[in-house]
Amino acid sequence: MKVLNFGSLNYDYTYRVSHMVRPGETLASENLQTHCGGKGLNQSIALARAGVSVFHAGMAGEDGGRLLEVCRQERIRTDFIRNCEGKSGHAVIQVTPSGENCILLYGGANRKNSLEHIENVLRSFGEGDILLLQNEINLVDELIERAFRKKMKIVLNPSPFEEKLLDYGLERVDTFLINETEGRQMSGEKTPEKILERLRQTYPQSEIVLTLGEKGVCLGGRKETVSVPAFCVKAVDTTAAGDTFTGYYLAGVLQGRGKKESLRRACAASALAVMKKGAADSIPRTPDVDLFLDKGCGGV
Ligand code: RIB
């Protein structure tokens, strides 16, 4: 069984600010740091650091050297990353003193995947292989359709959410990893219970993992419902916490850990991620997650 993550690769420009800039306001930032990121790359790194071998596919621009270097350092397979003219994707991120962020994306190379590239990549994968997707690249609908035809298992983190995603044949998705905001947008419901109920009705073949920030996580499975509380930590930067969760949860399941243990490990990994600045840089390694869990650093 192989794992393919077809996703974005970004440079993140992270500005520390006293508050999120308001409409019409000019705000001086306190500090700028540049990191590698992108929901796709972050999730590949989280999978790799959790001990899963992953192929990353996607597009990097003329300036993409550092993005590929980071993949190689992490032992992520780069066979399916192509270079194209123009700039790589990037994100402008504001982070406040409480660790909250808001993100402005420029798609760049991430929006230049072609059908030809997708078909070439999928040729190397087949029944039972995993396809992990987010929504920062173009042709997500085509990827879902083609991977489903090949009987691959599709795992979707529909982030950032946009209305047209709902027309992408989502009943073909095996597992959704969704935060509360995305859950509200996808279901039209407001409370976690209702969101889960509505999504389970709409996608009865799928498993829904709904992350709730400080309130933990709920899984609405085909058979079971599991809830796990969050770990109580002091956040300095929440960027990539969701990506860390996705990578560690998927890794846990693929490594044969039960759903509950996988959720708990993913919560621990994302708790560690929010205690560190940056996106990819903040994703913990397996020994750190083990230590955190051994020390019982949390509310479970
Ligand atoms: O989820 C965090 C990521 O979102 C950042 O790394 C940024 O690149 C955006 O894609």
Side-chain angles (χ1 to χ4, degrees):
M1 189 270 312
K2 291 185 278 190
V3 180
L4 169 66
N5 181 9
F6 217 123
S8 58
L9 299 131
N10 287 342
Y11 288 112
D12 288 355
Y13 300 97
T14 303
Y15 299 85
R16 306 292 306 189
V17 290
S18 55
H19 59 270
M20 304 298 183
V21 67
R22 298 182 187 112
E25 182 185 25
T26 301
L27 179 68
S29 63
E30 291 153 14
N31 169 275
L32 165 66
Q33 287 186 322
T34 310
H35 304 276
C36 288
K39 294 184 198 306
L41 176 57
N42 296 337
Q43 293 179 21
S44 283
I45 292 178
L47 277 161
R49 291 190 180 173
V52 170
S53 167
V54 55
F55 291 84
H56 190 98
M59 301 294 284
E62 288 157 14
D63 56 354
R66 175 77 192 126
L67 296 167
L68 270 106
E69 203 180 297
V70 164
C71 288
R72 292 190 190 111
Q73 277 165 8
E74 298 289 339
R75 299 179 189 281
I76 293 166
R77 296 285 300 266
T78 56
D79 319 38
F80 304 116
I81 300 177
R82 294 283 167 272
N83 279 102
C84 62
E85 281 181 7
K87 281 185 172 298
S88 299
H90 75 246
V92 174
I93 305 179
Q94 300 177 48
V95 180
T96 65
S98 65
E100 268 188 321
N101 68 49
C102 68
I103 302 179
L104 176 69
L105 281 177
Y106 169 70
N110 295 316
R111 313 292 311 177
K112 293 187 181 166
N113 288 286
S114 63
L115 281 177
E116 190 196 352
H117 180 41
I118 287 176
E119 269 163 14
N120 273 338
V121 175
L122 291 183
R123 219 164 272 144
S124 300
F125 297 86
E127 183 166 356
D129 289 337
I130 308 290
L131 173 65
L132 172 61
L133 295 168
Q134 313 75 30
N135 190 34
E136 286 188 345
I137 60 169
N138 62 324
L139 301 181
V140 169
D141 49 347
E142 298 287 346
L143 276 157
I144 291 176
E145 182 57 39
R146 284 167 165 73
F148 182 74
R149 271 195 248 134
K150 298 191 73 126
K151 300 197 167 66
M152 291 177 75
K153 276 196 163 182
I154 301 164
V155 178
L156 175 67
N157 169 221
S159 180
F161 179 81
E162 51 185 342
E163 208 61 36
K164 67 176 186 191
L165 255 179
L166 298 174
D167 301 325
Y168 282 6
L170 297 187
E171 62 285 353
R172 293 167 169 73
V173 171
D174 184 79
T175 306
F176 290 96
L177 288 122
I178 301 173
N179 69 23
E180 204 171 348
T181 309
E182 291 147 6
R184 281 196 201 112
Q185 293 166 316
M186 275 182 79
S187 66
E189 299 288 354
K190 291 200 174 61
T191 64
E193 297 73 26
K194 290 267 178 209
I195 293 171
L196 214 51
E197 191 185 317
R198 177 58 60 93
L199 292 179
R200 282 174 97 173
Q201 278 164 7
T202 314
Y203 306 109
Q205 307 303 324
S206 317
E207 197 148 76
I208 320 279
V209 180
L210 180 65
T211 57
L212 302 167
E214 291 165 1
K215 290 172 275 165
V217 56
C218 286
L219 176 147
R222 287 167 281 253
K223 299 183 214 124
E224 60 204 322
T225 305
V226 184
S227 291
V228 168
F231 292 92
C232 184
V233 294
K234 184 165 168 27
V236 296
D237 184 353
T238 53
T239 313
D243 302 329
T244 303
F245 184 95
T246 296
Y248 266 86
Y249 173 71
L250 184 56
V253 172
L254 296 175
Q255 288 161 344
R257 302 176 195 271
K259 295 279 159 63
K260 189 154 193 166
E261 193 196 338
S262 301
L263 290 173
R264 189 163 177 267
R265 284 184 75 77
C267 285
S270 49
L272 286 165
V274 303
M275 290 194 274
K276 241 179 126 181
K277 289 182 185 168
D281 296 341
S282 71
I283 300 169
R285 295 178 187 279
T286 294
D288 299 323
V289 176
D290 290 339
L291 190 68
F292 183 82
L293 285 167
D294 286 350
K295 286 203 303 197
C297 300
V300 181

